[in-house]
Amino acid sequence: MNKGRVEAFTDAVLAIILTIMILEFKTPESFSISAILDQVPYLISYAIGYLFIGVAWYNHHYMFSKTRWISQNVYWANNFWMFATSFLPVATAWVGKGLNQQGPEIFYFMVYLLWSVAYFILSLMLVRANKKDHQWDAAQSIRSMAIFRFMRNWKWASLQIIASIVAIIYIPALQMVIVSLSIIFVGARFNKDSDQLFN
């Protein structure tokens, strides 16, 4: 399968998702600067969502740059991952309306879980495709990614799930802090060669 077509399609879908997210930001009716304060909860959830997609795109780009051959399994895993990501604008908008409410935070957590499972499956399919293509270094590079190692470690993943559930029960907004920390300290820990792929 043509890798460039899959990457172009993915980039287009992610661009649309980001566009939908910013369109949820409503222009205040008043011209007073204080009128924007009502939008602060959405700005917070939007910033987290933007960071989420930005980090995910970088990792996705790294994995696909390392990979020469796209199998059918990779194609469908990539579609599943984009499907999971497409729920982010709804989750972001709802959390923006109720940053410390259980309903929106539970939905965001469910989207985050679905996204995590989809991302792990995509990573696994890329590892297998590279092994099948005898690209052992590429497979090892994907396996060595911090996000892949974290998702594969059931103890750390379970700890994050438990922490998120406890946060949702007692202080729902804290769940967004947990997601942000996960994005920054796990997802954004890129492989050292990630900025040297095309040198």
Side-chain angles (χ1 to χ4, degrees):
M1 183 167 287
N2 187 308
K3 184 177 77 165
R5 293 288 303 278
V6 176
E7 289 178 302
F9 179 50
T10 303
D11 289 348
V13 169
L14 293 181
I16 291 166
I17 290 169
L18 286 172
T19 303
I20 292 169
M21 283 171 55
I22 194 59
L23 289 176
E24 285 293 326
F25 183 75
K26 305 301 180 192
T27 306
E29 296 296 326
S30 168
F31 293 108
S32 169
I33 191 66
S34 61
I36 204 78
L37 295 177
D38 290 340
Q39 294 291 325
V40 168
Y42 183 76
L43 282 174
I44 292 169
S45 63
Y46 171 74
I48 294 168
Y50 195 97
L51 178 67
F52 193 154
I53 291 177
V55 167
W57 182 89
Y58 193 93
N59 284 311
H60 185 279
H61 174 64
Y62 177 79
M63 292 191 298
F64 271 69
S65 295
K66 287 281 186 176
T67 304
R68 290 193 323 178
W69 175 66
I70 302 298
S71 66
Q72 285 184 18
N73 288 338
V74 169
Y75 172 74
W76 287 111
N78 193 63
N79 275 327
F80 177 45
W81 174 72
M82 288 189 297
F83 172 75
T85 308
S86 70
F87 285 99
L88 199 55
V90 179
T92 299
W94 200 16
V95 164
K97 290 179 181 176
L99 190 58
N100 201 35
Q101 301 297 317
Q102 280 189 344
E105 292 292 352
I106 289 170
F107 182 67
Y108 199 100
F109 176 66
M110 290 167 56
V111 169
Y112 182 75
L113 273 183
L114 179 67
W115 182 93
S116 299
V117 169
Y119 188 86
F120 181 72
I121 291 170
L122 174 59
S123 303
L124 203 57
M125 292 303 108
L126 284 164
V127 168
R128 290 180 181 173
N130 278 296
K131 284 182 176 178
K132 193 171 182 179
D133 194 31
H134 304 293
Q135 300 299 311
W136 312 112
D137 288 344
Q140 184 53 38
S141 291
I142 295 168
R143 286 172 58 90
S144 69
M145 293 173 70
I147 190 169
F148 184 83
R149 287 184 286 116
F150 179 83
M151 290 180 174
R152 229 177 134 193
N153 186 327
W154 66 269
K155 290 179 182 177
W156 282 110
S158 299
L159 186 64
Q160 182 181 357
I161 290 170
I162 291 167
S164 292
I165 291 170
V166 170
I168 289 169
I169 292 169
Y170 295 105
I171 310 171
L174 192 56
Q175 195 256 153
M176 297 301 283
V177 174
I178 294 168
V179 169
S180 301
L181 292 174
S182 178
I183 293 167
I184 294 166
F185 292 109
V186 178
R189 284 179 54 211
F190 307 124
N191 285 15
K192 290 181 180 178
D193 66 336
S194 66
D195 59 351
Q196 301 165 354
L197 291 174
F198 299 102
N199 284 349

